[in-house]
Amino acid sequence: MKIENLERPVCVFPLTSNIRKKETVAMLLAGGQGSRLGALTAKMAKPAVPFGGKYRIIDFALSNCSNSGIDTLGVLTQYQPLELNSYIATGQPWDLDRINGGVYVLPPYMSAKAGEWYKGTANAIFQNINFIEQFEPEYVVILSGDHIYKMDYSLMVDFHKERGADLTIAVQTVPWEEAGRFGLMVTDDNDRIIDFEEKPENPRSNQASMGVYVFKWEILRSFLIADDADPDSSKDFGKNIIPAILAAGKSIYAYDFDGYWKDVGTVESLWEANMDLLSESSDLNLYDADWHIYSRNPVMPPHYAAAGADVSDSMITEGCIVEGKVENSILFAGVVISQGAQVKNSVIMPNTIIGNDSHVNYSIIAENAIIGCDVVFEGGSPSCISVIGPEAVIPDSAVIKEGARLSAEDAENLFGEV
Amino acid sequence: MKIENLERPVCVFPLTSNIRKKETVAMLLAGGQGSRLGALTAKMAKPAVPFGGKYRIIDFALSNCSNSGIDTLGVLTQYQPLELNSYIATGQPWDLDRINGGVYVLPPYMSAKAGEWYKGTANAIFQNINFIEQFEPEYVVILSGDHIYKMDYSLMVDFHKERGADLTIAVQTVPWEEAGRFGLMVTDDNDRIIDFEEKPENPRSNQASMGVYVFKWEILRSFLIADDADPDSSKDFGKNIIPAILAAGKSIYAYDFDGYWKDVGTVESLWEANMDLLSESSDLNLYDADWHIYSRNPVMPPHYAAAGADVSDSMITEGCIVEGKVENSILFAGVVISQGAQVKNSVIMPNTIIGNDSHVNYSIIAENAIIGCDVVFEGGSPSCISVIGPEAVIPDSAVIKEGARLSAEDAENLFGEV
Amino acid sequence: MKDVFGLIISGTEDQELRDLTMMRSIAAVPIAGRYRVIDFYLSNLVNSGIHNVGVITYRNYHSLMDHISGGVEWDLSRKRDGLFILPPMSQHTNHNGFYSGTAEAINGVKSYISRCAQNTCLLHTNCRTIFNTNYSQAYEYHKSSGADITMMYGIPGNKTEPPSKGEAMISVDESGAVTDVFPGRTYKKSDYISMDTYFINKDLLLRLVDDCVMRGGTDFIRDIIIPSLGKLNVKGFYYTEPSYKIDTLERYFKASLAFLDTGIRNSLIDGSGPVYTKVKDEVPARYSKSSRVANSLVSDGCYIEGSIENSLLFRGVQVARGAVIKNCIIMQESQIQANAVLENVILDKKCTILRGRRMVGTENHPMIVAKGSTI
Amino acid sequence: MKDVFGLIISGTEDQELRDLTMMRSIAAVPIAGRYRVIDFYLSNLVNSGIHNVGVITYRNYHSLMDHISGGVEWDLSRKRDGLFILPPMSQHTNHNGFYSGTAEAINGVKSYISRCAQNTCLLHTNCRTIFNTNYSQAYEYHKSSGADITMMYGIPGNKTEPPSKGEAMISVDESGAVTDVFPGRTYKKSDYISMDTYFINKDLLLRLVDDCVMRGGTDFIRDIIIPSLGKLNVKGFYYTEPSYKIDTLERYFKASLAFLDTGIRNSLIDGSGPVYTKVKDEVPARYSKSSRVANSLVSDGCYIEGSIENSLLFRGVQVARGAVIKNCIIMQESQIQANAVLENVILDKKCTILRGRRMVGTENHPMIVAKGSTI
């Protein structure tokens, strides 16, 4: 006998699980701080920010994966991952607790040589090449955890296969006047991307990248390795990997997506996306039985609307108690709107209390905050939203200026300890 | 109404889970590289190293927690956590997939200010104070993930409560001649610790610390915070926290544990602990129905012993194929012992193949290795164990010197690519 | 409570609840806007630290099994112990699979009982009481009093009504010993009503049940408890917290509406620990411009355009513009079309009330509409 | 296979397996050293990408439910779809809960079938074949041939024996159409044996079953398939991979021993995908100094001091010093005491063979010892 004739027995699996080959693996970038959301992301990563009464931003990407039949994905975390870790946990709420595949949270780690933080979106994937390799995928889908949209990735993968593309980038047609804010794809008549412009002054295209990519894994792998060796690279998909693939003459296609899609990177866009849920005309429909958006929620009793409650044009979820008036607003679990309080055009995150006779308008109030009695939120408008951070306490009779942004510490400094 | 009268509704839970108060929380230190295990820990943390045919080292601490009724624990990882993450996953094999509590893997993370690796055992706990606080525990048990032992922590917590201790340290009585290798506790007649010596030349005690601590959480918390502020501290339990608590005159008790306990920090001690499973006289009993050691294993068929097999005094698990001779050895899942091969006094880790007519003796061969045909392992003894690393390939007719330590790369350099 | 396991008989002939128990056992009846009756039983056990629970199923147990199977929501999905669904038939019965009485039900699951690692059984012979408790006090009493059997009894919240036919009332002497157990409708010797909840040693239970079945007995109270009075040490533990019987339709209706009281609701839903139930993926409740709501409990998935008062809406209920709902219990996924009027009505799951229809019951005789009806 | 759901009838009257099916349905019979028969069925479905599976239970389904409940091991613990255990009784039957034939069994779970999101049913009318396959080819054939019903048929590995009484044989013409279905023991028109596996449109299945039951029919083959021949487009799909019938004790014995052949074992355990089963926490098998083992499959938890040859040992079997086991199937947790001799014996679970006892069967008539016996 010779060594080359030795054979492993059948049914031999890797140590920890029955991992089998997967055609498609998704990698979800969820490490961003989302610093433009200020106090809302002081203690949690942006994808963990609550949205729409009982969801978090990342629920959309996770539910999209689940509904698209992509059952194997890595979630790349780095900034304040505790909340996100325990939120995702086994992936059960998204039906992603698969034995063969499922969802894996991937923080940065220390190897025999050194420990390295993720230095950029591309570096985060690079550091997890081994994770991806164990599934021997043909295709890798790269997603971002901070967009609100419902998208069937499997259709995009099909498109990618049909075109035999090396890389497919999902694009949205945006109004020409706004195009300059985006990364834009210049395509030929066959949807093939011939050029790429990052926030140009004079746009040649109005097809904006959604940050959703499908790669042939072997192509992505080789470009990640080459990019890592380049000391001048900032290890970013948009700045380095995609330009390099384009320059190498690989076939890159644009996949046009015309559904609802919103980057909730600013307070105003986050507020707007929440309000879109209350709009009859919005494309953002959560009632679609074929495309459930899943989330993890503790069990609470139904919400209670007291005898004097006045509720219109709003979404209210479990555990809330409404004694006052709620108009055109979204209340998350466990929120209390006390007697005489008026909440309009606002988003009130979990377990927050609005005291008696307080008037809240055009605001996002984060979780576990306490707004005292007779507090007044002045003015405000869709382009000027006030934010009260998690755990903040606003004393009785305080006046919150329009567009104020107050973390718990700010509030304490401003009003003293209550 | 005033703000101080505002009340949250009942049944309001934290966002992600129905977390309720826990009397005792355990924190398991699993971040160590275990560099003295060489090639065995090149790609996985020491607690993930396979042990005893179908276990990993960490199974003992995890099973102890589960069997002790401690259902809430954090596992602190840092070095090569991927294997450990997917191994622990939901905690289901150890019955630790609890809704209220359960097992959490806690890697280092980046906060708004900065990202920090765990700088020492104490720093690892310090960085996770928030994690512990959410359970409002009375007691925190600190464990290490790299010892082989069966211990009912609940009895130690009871002892801690009865004594009203601030800190209780589990100790083993060791032979006086070996005492100098350990951290030793000097106690008075009431088991109260009056002094602590780290590896002294002239031991005053033979009670060695097992690295298992029960703290009053408020005490530990305050000492962790003080220690973190000290720039000269090395942030270590043994070097900093315990001496500081002792110096502060807090009540520290020694809890005497006289069961089997082994630190498998060296190749020889790891081999020895494995062999203890084959010894009739050893205290390490895996057949105890009241104290199951749980592990995660893929489903494989029963092992197959061929017509010419010769097996004695050995443990063999699922998925193995035995055609040759196996004596006083432990075979992990999916191992193949080809015709004519002889394996004695050895530990063969998962999915490794021993080629025809090869003779293996006094060795630990890691997972996924291939030992060719007619390979000879020379000599060896309990104090001189050979190690072949994961994925290593040893060509036909190679001779492995006694006590050799070869990683896959070493083997390739030595023998050339096969 | 390490040494206690729970055993729940999830239903017997519960005729008094009429249409609500036609298609399901009483344990699976929806209650309080988003729960099922058994949620209270399971949560009480789990919150008391009991992690081994057997549920004996009855005739139509599809909906019960759908609801509890796996036990994850109650943290009863475990390798050791956990939740066991015990089908009503067993290799030990010679019948066609159904038990006719509570003693027979227990007899059918003797092999489960024998296998339990715990020595004390906390037995619920029915699921017709809504209460929220931690059993540790009662268990301490059971142990310290040296009782063979401890029965929990109390005065339910809806005590102004006379006892119902199927109810067991008990008399207790000064030492706490149970002196008599008698049916509610016969004669009145005390105000104390059995909570159908017992602590009993496992081996004693097995022996009593064996003995009872051998003599042709079928009922736990009639054929086991009553004959034991005076012979065994049977103690009563007085339960002081609020509890509500739901053993008749009227009581079910009143107990449901009691949840609108914030004090009662809080004590029943989180008095000694939270009530857990199965989580569904529903969108938050949505109110339109034209909606009105007062003194009501509304679950996720509801879409309210009409007017609601003093009512409980389970998940996914639609109330169209102009519809008026007052003193009603509207179960999952029912639809109330435009301008329909409902007062003192219980709608079971998936009912449809057509445009402009009007149904009015009275407080003491609510109307009930069977599952899936279109009116 | 997105549009396919699986439906498994887990047992009927399987008298031929005698003691093995006294206490359990055939689906729960232990096989191949660590599996249960249903593991093969579930794994085949899951490995083919089918994630919605209903299992119709039969009389004694405790052990089946213990084994599969939750479905985690087969990755069938899902929010959408997953594994559904369908108790033998249903609100739609008027009987005392048991079905007497396969058509009746399906009739009892019509509500499950109607609720399935998938349009094609992959129906197993029995669990008496061991095979490892991916159904995608058969399904492609079903779709492309335009068949109303596609029956899988083949020539099982133990083909040298004559067909058994309960077996259905089929004739197929050149176009692939099934021309006849006839019982194995009557007359011989072909060598093709039905795999009891069908592809059929969900609505057609419901219609055929309705129609059958209305006319008093009970059996899927006799009362649905045979009357449909010539009227509906019933096609046969020829299955070429190895398969083993286990519908008689002799066949069960031979199929079990076939697993000792490495080629056969590999193809049955990992031919088109791995066979999943419930994981138990067992210590690796332990051999002592005095043990001897040849051509055997040995599971974890075994403790071997004696001698084993040509045998399959399930988990937790103890073989004491001097005991000799040859051509045997020893199920879970059985104990063979010192110097006992067993040859051509099937020991069911938890049997004890006392010191020095001797039991010898023959290859064609193995002895069988019922669960829990002490000999």
Side-chain angles (χ1 to χ4, degrees), chain A residues 125-146:
Chain A
I125 307 293
F126 173 79
Q127 288 201 37
N128 287 286
I129 284 181
N130 285 343
F131 168 78
I132 298 172
E133 290 274 279
Q134 65 186 332
F135 301 104
E136 304 170 31
E138 306 287 315
Y139 308 106
V140 169
V141 182
I142 305 288
L143 304 168
S144 144
D146 45 10

Side-chain angles (χ1 to χ4, degrees), chain D residues 290-326:
Chain D
S290 56
S291 65
R292 286 200 53 241
V293 57
N295 192 34
S296 293
L297 285 166
V298 180
S299 285
D300 280 4
C302 288
Y303 203 108
I304 316 289
E305 298 178 287
S307 169
I308 301 160
E309 191 183 334
N310 297 336
S311 294
L312 290 87
L313 273 60
F314 287 71
R315 63 184 173 73
V317 168
Q318 295 180 30
V319 180
R321 192 180 285 257
V324 176
I325 292 175
K326 200 173 160 184

Side-chain angles (χ1 to χ4, degrees), chain C residues 1-8 45-46 48-56 76 81-82 84 86 106 109-124 135 139 197-206:
Chain C
M1 307 287 269
K2 271 189 189 169
D3 200 38
V4 181
F5 68 97
L7 185 61
I8 302 173
L45 291 169
V46 168
S48 303
I50 297 168
H51 300 303
N52 180 6
V53 181
V55 176
I56 306 178
L76 287 174
D81 296 339
F84 296 86
L86 307 169
I106 301 166
V109 301
K110 280 191 301 193
S111 66
Y112 163 75
I113 297 172
S114 321
R115 276 199 317 270
C116 286
Q118 298 81 8
N119 285 310
T120 302
C121 177
L122 172 38
L123 171 69
H124 296 293
Y135 295 110
Y139 179 54
T197 297
Y198 305 83
F199 284 91
I200 180 169
N201 173 276
K202 171 172 112 173
D203 296 324
L204 178 61
L205 175 64
L206 287 171

Side-chain angles (χ1 to χ4, degrees), chain A residues 155-408:
Chain A
L155 301 178
M156 182 171 168
V157 172
D158 289 346
F159 172 93
H160 179 83
K161 285 190 218 173
E162 280 160 23
R163 300 296 171 111
D166 294 313
L167 162 59
T168 301
I169 300 176
V171 297
Q172 273 233 327
T173 305
V174 295
W176 279 101
E177 57 274 21
E178 293 182 22
R181 301 198 292 116
F182 294 93
L184 301 173
M185 302 298 153
V186 184
T187 54
D188 68 12
D189 292 347
N190 299 317
D191 299 324
R192 187 159 171 167
I193 293 173
I194 51 175
D195 205 359
F196 169 75
E197 302 180 306
E198 185 70 27
K199 301 184 184 165
E201 277 190 42
N202 301 304
R204 286 160 60 203
S205 155
N206 64 342
Q207 295 206 289
S209 167
M210 293 166 59
V212 174
Y213 312 115
V214 178
F215 285 92
K216 255 189 203 151
W217 170 232
E218 52 175 310
I219 298 287
L220 175 58
R221 190 174 180 284
S222 65
F223 278 86
L224 285 174
I225 291 168
D227 182 64
D228 185 64
D230 175 4
D232 299 332
S233 165
S234 52
K235 319 282 192 242
D236 185 82
F237 272 96
K239 293 194 194 117
N240 308 104
I241 299 292
I242 293 169
I245 292 179
L246 192 62
K250 298 290 173 192
S251 68
I252 313 186
Y253 283 86
Y255 174 77
D256 196 41
F257 176 75
D258 62 359
Y260 184 97
W261 176 79
K262 191 162 247 161
D263 181 341
V264 289
T266 64
V267 167
E268 277 73 21
S269 63
L270 177 62
W271 178 86
E272 220 174 87
N274 272 288
M275 291 299 135
D276 284 341
L277 290 173
L278 299 176
S279 150
E280 302 280 338
S281 60
S282 157
D283 290 337
L284 182 52
N285 172 19
L286 297 178
Y287 292 91
D288 184 349
D290 294 332
W291 207 267
H292 258 302
I293 301 302
Y294 300 104
S295 68
R296 180 187 298 277
N297 282 286
V299 174
M300 295 199 201
H303 73 260
Y304 176 67
D310 177 1
V311 180
S312 63
D313 237 350
S314 293
M315 288 175 86
I316 301 183
T317 191
E318 299 152 357
C320 290
I321 295 186
V322 179
E323 299 171 342
K325 179 183 170 103
V326 178
E327 188 183 315
N328 199 41
S329 294
I330 293 182
L331 309 189
F332 284 73
V335 162
V336 178
I337 309 297
S338 306
Q339 226 171 324
Q342 297 196 4
V343 174
K344 294 182 185 174
N345 309 307
S346 293
V347 176
I348 317 291
M349 292 184 182
N351 303 346
T352 281
I353 302 179
I354 311 294
N356 300 59
D357 304 313
S358 287
H359 287 212
V360 176
N361 202 352
Y362 289 111
S363 299
I364 297 178
I365 306 186
E367 63 276 10
N368 299 315
I370 300 179
I371 309 298
C373 305
D374 297 306
V375 173
V376 175
F377 282 67
E378 294 187 325
S381 70
S383 59
C384 182
I385 301 298
S386 304
V387 174
I388 306 294
E391 328 272 342
V393 178
I394 307 293
D396 293 343
S397 307
V399 174
I400 306 291
K401 300 234 160 59
E402 55 188 276
R405 306 278 158 104
L406 300 178
S407 70

Side-chain angles (χ1 to χ4, degrees), chain C residues 85-322:
Chain C
I85 297 175
L86 307 169
M89 98 198 71
S90 143
Q91 55 209 44
H92 300 285
T93 56
N94 303 312
H95 301 275
N96 57 10
F98 300 116
Y99 52 85
S100 58
T102 42
E104 251 188 324
I106 301 166
N107 188 56
V109 301
K110 280 191 301 193
S111 66
Y112 163 75
I113 297 172
S114 321
R115 276 199 317 270
C116 286
Q118 298 81 8
N119 285 310
T120 302
C121 177
L122 172 38
L123 171 69
H124 296 293
T125 55
N126 211 321
C127 291
R128 52 190 181 190
T129 310
I130 300 295
F131 61 128
N132 185 313
T133 194
N134 185 310
Y135 295 110
S136 50
Q137 240 188 309
Y139 179 54
E140 282 310 316
Y141 177 80
H142 173 68
K143 282 193 297 185
S144 64
S145 68
D148 294 310
I149 301 174
T150 298
M151 300 176 67
M152 285 176 68
Y153 67 94
I155 303 181
N158 34 12
K159 60 194 161 211
T160 48
E161 303 150 50
S164 69
K165 203 170 68 185
E167 215 157 17
M169 317 267 314
I170 80 174
S171 303
V172 177
D173 71 14
E174 284 153 16
S175 75
V178 175
T179 53
D180 200 3
V181 182
F182 50 98
R185 287 258 169 105
T186 48
Y187 53 106
K188 177 162 166 140
K189 291 204 292 196
S190 89
D191 290 327
Y192 298 142
I193 294 167
S194 163
M195 311 272 294
D196 303 328
T197 297
Y198 305 83
F199 284 91
I200 180 169
N201 173 276
K202 171 172 112 173
D203 296 324
L204 178 61
L205 175 64
L206 287 171
R207 211 174 63 229
L208 290 173
V209 166
D210 259 349
D211 198 58
C212 160
V213 169
M214 221 162 53
R215 293 159 193 263
T218 59
D219 187 75
F220 187 75
I221 293 187
R222 186 190 60 209
D223 304 321
I224 294 181
I225 292 296
I226 295 177
S228 298
L229 295 177
K231 290 188 221 147
L232 294 172
N233 183 357
V234 181
K235 283 282 199 302
F237 177 82
Y238 185 52
Y239 179 80
T240 55
E241 298 158 65
S243 66
Y244 284 82
K245 289 274 178 186
I246 53 160
D247 55 342
T248 68
L249 193 66
E250 292 67 30
R251 286 181 170 192
Y252 169 80
F253 185 62
K254 287 192 178 161
S256 294
L257 293 179
F259 276 88
L260 295 175
D261 180 289
T262 296
I264 294 172
R265 184 172 67 250
N266 287 354
S267 79
L268 290 176
I269 290 183
D270 200 20
S272 301
V275 178
Y276 300 102
T277 188
K278 193 161 179 160
V279 178
K280 299 276 185 179
D281 293 290
E282 292 281 356
V283 178
R286 176 87 165 81
Y287 289 91
S288 79
K289 283 208 198 320
S290 55
S291 64
R292 288 199 54 242
V293 58
N295 193 35
S296 293
L297 285 166
V298 179
S299 284
D300 281 4
C302 288
Y303 202 108
I304 317 288
E305 298 177 289
S307 171
I308 302 160
E309 192 182 332
N310 298 338
S311 295
L312 290 87
L313 272 59
F314 286 72
R315 64 184 170 74
V317 169
Q318 294 180 28
V319 181
R321 191 181 284 258

Side-chain angles (χ1 to χ4, degrees), chain B residues 54 303-305 313 317-318, chain D residues 34 285-287 289 295 300:
Chain B
K54 61 190 291 185
H303 73 261
Y304 176 68
D313 237 349
T317 189
E318 299 153 355
Chain D
R34 77 165 289 183
R286 177 86 163 81
Y287 290 90
K289 280 207 200 325
N295 192 34
D300 280 4

